[in-house]
Amino acid sequence: MKKIILASASPRRQELLSNITTDFTVCPADADETLPEGLSIEKQIETLAKRKAEAVLEQNPDSIVIGSDTMVVVDNKPLGKPKDKEDAIRMLKMLSGRKHEVITGVAVLCKDKKIINHRTTKVKFRVLTEHEIESYVATGEPMDKAGAYGIQGLGSVLVEGIEGDYFSVVGLPVSLVYTMLCEIEHYMSH
């Protein structure tokens, strides 16, 4: 089997990929994140995941590379990582008491085959008080996370329920990545 490379510095993605295989290396991608106008949010996510994987595949052409990108979407508007504490507070107020979507795009690439997909999960927040939001932001946890929260950490107390793949919300839809890897390996063994 070819070497597998995860094109992400995220410790959460590394931990989730280790549920599938421990035989991988990590090589964070430096990819252009500007997107053309008119792409659906799903296509934007898939494009970013693909660019990350392609950037690493160029340097490692004999490997299988996994790229991933996660976006929180509310009212058809993507929420990225907060710029600062005020931005995190604004995002959490927007999500309070409502459902939103978390879309994670995944690209599994080798030299001759590219598989790109995404998974969408609905997340419902309970109604949050101003104090809860400010206390959570003060922990620093929201600062490097899309939508300003981490469902697997302290942010778990904000979430009332989810419909869909929990692991996709964390940042890597494990069952989807597994089936994509199987498809790539099956393709390569023929």
Side-chain angles (χ1 to χ4, degrees):
M1 199 186 93
K2 288 195 177 197
K3 184 169 86 165
I4 296 174
I5 301 174
L6 177 63
S8 172
S10 163
R12 295 167 297 283
R13 288 193 177 114
Q14 292 169 35
E15 190 181 323
L16 292 175
L17 184 56
S18 69
N19 290 339
I20 301 170
T21 178
T22 54
D23 190 18
F24 67 92
T25 55
V26 172
C27 180
D30 185 21
D32 174 19
E33 298 207 6
T34 55
L35 292 163
E37 292 291 311
L39 288 182
S40 69
I41 289 175
E42 291 81 4
K43 280 288 168 227
Q44 290 177 37
I45 299 288
E46 289 181 358
T47 299
L48 292 171
K50 181 173 164 245
R51 280 190 194 158
K52 289 176 181 180
E54 284 173 340
V56 173
L57 187 63
E58 273 178 32
Q59 308 301 314
N60 303 275
D62 294 327
S63 299
I64 297 170
V65 180
I66 302 167
S68 184
D69 201 79
T70 301
M71 206 176 275
V72 171
V73 180
V74 65
D75 298 332
N76 282 325
K77 290 185 194 68
L79 299 181
K81 294 176 182 176
K83 295 177 202 40
D84 53 32
K85 285 185 173 182
E86 288 68 37
D87 198 29
I89 289 169
R90 178 189 64 80
M91 287 183 192
L92 292 166
K93 281 182 178 172
M94 199 185 296
L95 299 175
S96 176
R98 303 181 57 197
K99 263 189 190 170
H100 60 274
E101 291 184 331
V102 179
I103 306 169
T104 296
V106 178
V108 178
L109 314 180
C110 66
K111 196 167 36 200
D112 307 315
K113 186 156 178 73
K114 294 174 169 27
I115 305 172
I116 296 139
N117 209 330
H118 69 275
R119 188 149 284 167
T120 302
T121 303
K122 290 182 171 30
V123 179
K124 180 162 192 326
F125 267 28
R126 60 185 183 75
V127 176
L128 309 174
T129 67
E130 193 119 355
H131 176 71
E132 286 173 319
I133 291 172
E134 288 171 7
S135 297
Y136 178 56
V137 171
T139 68
E141 183 179 89
M143 300 321 292
D144 69 334
K145 299 188 178 48
Y149 75 97
I151 194 170
Q152 74 287 355
L154 302 170
S156 58
V157 300
L158 313 175
V159 176
E160 194 170 279
I162 73 167
E163 295 167 39
D165 185 342
Y166 167 81
F167 298 109
S168 182
V169 182
V170 179
L172 197 73
V174 178
S175 64
L176 179 63
V177 172
Y178 176 77
T179 57
M180 292 167 80
L181 277 170
C182 289
E183 193 178 326
I184 286 270
E185 287 171 4
H186 176 77
Y187 167 81
M188 289 167 58
S189 65
H190 283 82

